[in-house]
PDB file of all heavy atoms in Angstrom:
ATOM      1  N   ALA A  46     -27.267   0.934   2.554  1.00 33.00           N
ATOM      2  CA  ALA A  46     -27.738   2.042   1.743  1.00 33.00           C
ATOM      3  C   ALA A  46     -27.698   1.591   0.298  1.00 33.00           C
ATOM      4  O   ALA A  46     -26.932   0.707  -0.066  1.00 33.00           O
ATOM      5  CB  ALA A  46     -26.856   3.283   1.932  1.00 33.00           C
ATOM      6  N   ALA A  47     -28.521   2.211  -0.520  1.00 32.00           N
ATOM      7  CA  ALA A  47     -28.527   1.856  -1.931  1.00 32.00           C
ATOM      8  C   ALA A  47     -27.201   2.256  -2.557  1.00 32.00           C
ATOM      9  O   ALA A  47     -26.685   3.339  -2.312  1.00 32.00           O
ATOM     10  CB  ALA A  47     -29.676   2.574  -2.642  1.00 32.00           C
ATOM     11  N   ILE A  48     -26.657   1.385  -3.365  1.00 32.00           N
ATOM     12  CA  ILE A  48     -25.399   1.705  -4.039  1.00 32.00           C
ATOM     13  C   ILE A  48     -25.667   2.780  -5.071  1.00 32.00           C
ATOM     14  O   ILE A  48     -26.629   2.719  -5.832  1.00 32.00           O
ATOM     15  CB  ILE A  48     -24.804   0.454  -4.706  1.00 32.00           C
ATOM     16  CG1 ILE A  48     -24.454  -0.583  -3.629  1.00 32.00           C
ATOM     17  CG2 ILE A  48     -23.591   0.789  -5.537  1.00 32.00           C
ATOM     18  CD1 ILE A  48     -23.878  -1.860  -4.192  1.00 32.00           C
ATOM     19  N   ASP A  49     -24.790   3.755  -5.126  1.00 36.00           N
ATOM     20  CA  ASP A  49     -24.926   4.842  -6.080  1.00 36.00           C
ATOM     21  C   ASP A  49     -24.901   4.283  -7.502  1.00 36.00           C
ATOM     22  O   ASP A  49     -24.102   3.403  -7.820  1.00 36.00           O
ATOM     23  CB  ASP A  49     -23.777   5.835  -5.888  1.00 36.00           C
ATOM     24  CG  ASP A  49     -23.991   7.092  -6.691  1.00 36.00           C
ATOM     25  OD1 ASP A  49     -24.628   8.011  -6.175  1.00 36.00           O
ATOM     26  OD2 ASP A  49     -23.485   7.158  -7.834  1.00 36.00           O
ATOM     27  N   THR A  50     -25.748   4.787  -8.339  1.00 30.00           N
ATOM     28  CA  THR A  50     -25.876   4.230  -9.674  1.00 30.00           C
ATOM     29  C   THR A  50     -25.038   4.956 -10.711  1.00 30.00           C
ATOM     30  O   THR A  50     -25.127   4.671 -11.895  1.00 30.00           O
ATOM     31  CB  THR A  50     -27.348   4.288 -10.126  1.00 30.00           C
ATOM     32  OG1 THR A  50     -27.812   5.649 -10.057  1.00 30.00           O
ATOM     33  CG2 THR A  50     -28.226   3.421  -9.239  1.00 30.00           C
ATOM     34  N   ARG A  51     -24.188   5.888 -10.297  1.00 35.00           N
ATOM     35  CA  ARG A  51     -23.339   6.576 -11.269  1.00 35.00           C
ATOM     36  C   ARG A  51     -22.431   5.573 -11.944  1.00 35.00           C
ATOM     37  O   ARG A  51     -21.871   4.681 -11.322  1.00 35.00           O
ATOM     38  CB  ARG A  51     -22.499   7.650 -10.582  1.00 35.00           C
ATOM     39  CG  ARG A  51     -23.320   8.822 -10.075  1.00 35.00           C
ATOM     40  CD  ARG A  51     -22.502   9.696  -9.177  1.00 35.00           C
ATOM     41  NE  ARG A  51     -22.119   8.959  -7.977  1.00 35.00           N
ATOM     42  CZ  ARG A  51     -21.501   9.509  -6.948  1.00 35.00           C
ATOM     43  NH1 ARG A  51     -21.196  10.780  -6.979  1.00 35.00           N
ATOM     44  NH2 ARG A  51     -21.185   8.797  -5.896  1.00 35.00           N
ATOM     45  N   GLY A  52     -22.214   5.723 -13.197  1.00 38.00           N
ATOM     46  CA  GLY A  52     -21.399   4.777 -13.946  1.00 38.00           C
ATOM     47  C   GLY A  52     -19.932   4.911 -13.607  1.00 38.00           C
ATOM     48  O   GLY A  52     -19.446   5.973 -13.227  1.00 38.00           O
ATOM     49  N   ALA A  53     -19.204   3.810 -13.761  1.00 39.00           N
ATOM     50  CA  ALA A  53     -17.767   3.831 -13.542  1.00 39.00           C
ATOM     51  C   ALA A  53     -17.091   4.573 -14.687  1.00 39.00           C
ATOM     52  O   ALA A  53     -17.546   4.537 -15.827  1.00 39.00           O
ATOM     53  CB  ALA A  53     -17.229   2.403 -13.473  1.00 39.00           C
ATOM     54  N   PRO A  54     -15.991   5.288 -14.403  1.00 40.00           N
ATOM     55  CA  PRO A  54     -15.272   5.986 -15.457  1.00 40.00           C
ATOM     56  C   PRO A  54     -14.734   4.972 -16.463  1.00 40.00           C
ATOM     57  O   PRO A  54     -14.267   3.899 -16.099  1.00 40.00           O
ATOM     58  CB  PRO A  54     -14.138   6.692 -14.707  1.00 40.00           C
ATOM     59  CG  PRO A  54     -13.984   5.920 -13.452  1.00 40.00           C
ATOM     60  CD  PRO A  54     -15.341   5.428 -13.112  1.00 40.00           C
ATOM     61  N   SER A  55     -14.823   5.307 -17.721  1.00 38.00           N
ATOM     62  CA  SER A  55     -14.359   4.380 -18.747  1.00 38.00           C
ATOM     63  C   SER A  55     -13.272   5.015 -19.582  1.00 38.00           C
ATOM     64  O   SER A  55     -13.163   6.226 -19.695  1.00 38.00           O
ATOM     65  CB  SER A  55     -15.522   3.960 -19.650  1.00 38.00           C
ATOM     66  OG  SER A  55     -16.069   5.090 -20.306  1.00 38.00           O
TER      67      SER A  55
END
Side-chain angles (χ1 to χ4, degrees):
I48 296 179
D49 189 88
T50 56
R51 291 168 296 187
S55 61

